[in-house]
Amino acid sequence: MSNVVVVGLQWGDEAKGKVVDFLSQDAEYVVRFNGGNNAGHTVVVGKDTYKFHAIPVGVLNPDAIALITDGVVLDLGVFAEELRGLRERGITADKIKVSGNVHIIMPWHKRLDALEEAYKKDGKVGTTGRGIGPCYADKASRIGLRIYDIIDPEALPVKLREVLRLKNDIITKVYGGEPFDYDEILEQYTGYGKALRPYVADTATMLFEATSDCRKILFEAAQGALLDIDQGTYPFVTSSHSISGGATLGTGVGPTAIDYVIGVAKAYTTRVGAGPMPTELFDDMGDVIRENGHEYGTTTGRPRRCGWFDAVCARYSCRINGCTSVAVCLLDVLNMPRIKICTKYEIDGRLTDVFPTKPELLAKARPVYEELEGWNCDVSGIRSFRELPEKCRAYVRRVEELMGCRICMVSVGPKRDQSIIIDRELLSVFDN
Ligand code: GDP
Ligand code: IMO
Ligand code: MG
């Protein structure tokens, strides 16, 4: 048996897409288990760039079966568009299956996402505006519409009428907005239902059979551990389980079926949206990292907040994910004379290396830095660890030591081949 979860260790955009693409060449199943099209995963293969939002990155391996499982929320318009875009580029979608339990992001979810954010004023989360929070809220309230409802022509009209009455009341009476038209939505979603039917499957049973047959399964997380609804920096989080445990909650696969957890971290830190970020840089250095790393969101185009590597946060993430190893990406971006790593926080005059999840405490955390000499040269053409400049290797080893977790690979550019394997054994997730 050899199954692996790839998970983000920071606040998303750690280059999970790139690492998943690298590993999925050998996978037999690729599985998206959480989040929705708030995700934006970029993969560069040769001259081609692909941006994934709802579909697993591993679909680029034509032999892999791609699954979208129970923990995901799906915007059917985005899904259809992404499928069409892939087909136009010669990527067949024959092997995609979607769980009937997946909740649908309905038009009112997107509207309510915007209305709730506007209502919160200074307390805004800075969401992606894709309707994620309201959709998961309805799932927890047990009034969500699932794929099973959309593909059932008898259930859809009844369930839609019921939930739309409530949603229109909230939109018009609480927010003073315009109501949605029942007939229009019914027609549109009946159409989606027909188109979806061939993709719907019992993905939990498929995965049970796959694990029983010792198939190679790659679980790809969206977002990052610090955006997890339970273990992240609440309330500045997303609404799903973005840590490795989400791979079991969101699929129906039991935890004992997971063999490896590979955490993905940037060589520095970024965050999009609101919420505390202890190592955020507000000076020129922040701009240098943003420009070197092209740190603008794949989904919303927003400039990302940038800062030094935060080892307190990465160590916490390795812990809550149970990482077996870490891939450190965008190492090439730190092409500068001096580099800092945050090793501890000072909170109310006390030093700590424990990551506080209470937002008020995290907001007070002042980073304590260790300064290292940088390698100050371009490493994007290097393909082996021993050829990296000594100062670069020293940085990687110091990050490893502070995280308390082995580093399996580093990435020195966006392309598939700009990857350096450090420890093949840690990465041999599909060899046995
Ligand atoms: P994800 O959401 O974790 O999949 O990450 P994103 O795709 O949102 O953001 C990562 C960005 O960094 C993408 O534009 C990638 O193409 C790019 N990228 C990935 N690895 C590297 C790397 O090692 N160096 C550089 N310079 N860019 C990288
Ligand atoms: P990938 O998979 C970075 C952030 C948003 C916001 C918060 C809540 O590409 O790493 P939501 O729309 O989910 O309700 O927004 O979470 N966020 C992400 N940040 N990468 C992502 O995904 C994100 N998905 C959500 O910016 O702060
Ligand atoms: Mg992203």
Side-chain angles (χ1 to χ4, degrees):
M1 208 169 56
S2 208
N3 302 323
V4 58
V5 185
V6 174
V7 72
L9 295 183
Q10 294 153 329
W11 281 282
D13 302 325
E14 300 90 346
K16 297 176 293 296
K18 174 179 169 160
V19 174
V20 165
D21 172 63
F22 184 80
L23 293 172
S24 61
Q25 305 307 306
D26 296 322
E28 292 170 287
Y29 287 76
V30 291
V31 185
R32 253 298 291 273
F33 61 81
N34 80 299
N37 57 307
N38 46 350
H41 303 154
T42 314
V43 177
V44 185
V45 188
K47 289 196 176 69
D48 295 319
T49 299
Y50 301 90
K51 292 182 188 295
F52 293 91
H53 298 284
I55 291 179
V57 165
V59 78
L60 289 178
N61 171 356
D63 299 324
I65 295 172
L67 303 181
I68 297 176
T69 60
D70 320 309
V72 170
V73 290
L74 202 55
D75 182 320
L76 297 180
V78 171
F79 178 63
E81 194 50 37
E82 210 169 310
L83 272 181
R84 199 182 55 77
L86 286 169
R87 280 216 187 90
E88 272 176 15
R89 301 178 71 178
I91 313 290
T92 64
D94 314 350
K95 292 193 171 141
I96 296 185
K97 293 290 172 202
V98 185
S99 166
N101 291 336
V102 160
H103 279 250
I104 308 298
I105 301 173
M106 297 298 289
W108 53 82
H109 292 134
K110 282 176 268 188
R111 176 88 63 84
L112 285 166
D113 197 348
L115 289 169
E116 285 170 13
E117 282 281 274
Y119 191 84
K120 285 177 184 160
K121 294 202 173 82
D122 291 344
K124 273 191 185 53
V125 174
T127 72
T128 59
R130 301 300 192 263
I132 305 297
C135 183
Y136 278 111
D138 280 0
K139 171 178 175 172
S141 297
R142 294 152 297 181
I143 54 167
L145 293 175
R146 304 195 296 175
I147 285 195
Y148 280 139
D149 304 318
I150 303 287
I151 62 169
D152 180 344
E154 282 178 18
L156 179 60
V158 180
K159 292 194 178 178
L160 177 65
R161 191 177 290 284
E162 222 169 88
V163 68
L164 191 57
R165 191 166 58 88
L166 173 66
K167 294 297 166 182
N168 273 343
D169 271 357
I170 295 171
I171 288 166
T172 56
K173 293 178 188 166
V174 177
Y175 294 106
E178 287 296 308
F180 285 99
D181 183 69
Y182 169 80
D183 292 319
E184 243 174 59
I185 294 185
L186 181 62
E187 192 188 331
Q188 188 182 16
Y189 281 79
T190 303
Y192 282 143
K194 277 192 195 137
L196 255 180
R197 223 160 283 154
Y199 295 100
V200 182
D202 176 356
T203 54
T205 301
M206 286 176 79
L207 284 172
F208 173 71
E209 286 165 1
T211 51
S212 307
D213 290 348
C214 301
R215 297 287 172 209
K216 301 164 187 170
I217 307 171
L218 173 55
F219 297 90
E220 35 175 295
Q223 288 79 53
L226 299 177
L227 291 171
D228 182 89
I229 182 79
D230 285 326
Q231 307 302 332
T233 50
Y234 190 91
F236 302 104
V237 292
T238 189
S239 301
S240 70
H241 295 287
S242 50
I243 58 170
S244 58
T248 77
L249 297 169
T251 58
V253 168
T256 47
I258 309 288
D259 305 297
Y260 292 83
V261 177
I262 299 182
V264 184
K266 271 179 181 156
Y268 47 95
T269 310
T270 64
R271 179 165 202 175
V272 203
M277 173 182 160
T279 62
E280 181 169 13
L281 291 166
F282 299 96
D283 56 8
D284 292 351
M285 189 47 79
D287 296 335
V288 169
I289 294 177
R290 185 173 307 104
E291 294 315 312
N292 276 3
H294 306 290
E295 291 295 354
Y296 296 88
T298 307
T299 299
T300 58
R302 290 181 287 179
R304 295 175 181 147
R305 301 158 63 191
C306 297
W308 296 117
F309 186 81
D310 184 340
V312 181
C313 131
R315 190 166 47 240
Y316 168 76
S317 281
C318 286
R319 188 185 93 200
I320 58 177
N321 284 295
C323 287
T324 49
S325 68
V326 175
V328 173
C329 296
L330 293 105
L331 190 59
D332 54 302
V333 172
L334 295 186
N335 169 4
M336 45 191 68
R338 300 200 74 75
I339 300 174
K340 290 183 184 175
I341 305 180
C342 167
T343 56
K344 285 187 171 57
Y345 296 154
E346 188 200 309
I347 302 175
D348 292 333
R350 290 236 279 275
L351 288 181
T352 178
D353 58 7
V354 179
F355 187 78
T357 53
K358 189 174 179 208
E360 290 80 5
L361 284 182
L362 191 62
K364 284 201 265 183
R366 290 156 48 116
V368 177
Y369 287 119
E370 177 175 302
E371 196 163 334
L372 279 78
E373 265 185 74
W375 47 96
N376 205 19
C377 65
D378 179 13
V379 295
S380 63
I382 295 176
R383 294 291 175 273
S384 81
F385 190 60
R386 76 188 145 69
E387 283 169 57
L388 284 173
E390 196 189 331
K391 287 169 185 156
C392 184
R393 278 183 279 138
Y395 180 76
V396 172
R397 290 306 184 201
R398 183 64 181 137
V399 163
E400 180 173 60
E401 187 179 24
L402 288 165
M403 282 191 307
C405 188
R406 301 284 302 282
I407 294 177
C408 53
M409 67 180 275
V410 293
S411 167
V412 291
K415 292 188 181 160
R416 191 185 272 173
D417 67 356
Q418 289 178 301
S419 309
I420 298 177
I421 296 176
I422 296 187
D423 190 327
R424 192 163 287 282
E425 217 153 88
L426 290 171
L427 251 194
S428 296
V429 289
F430 295 137
D431 279 1
N432 46 0

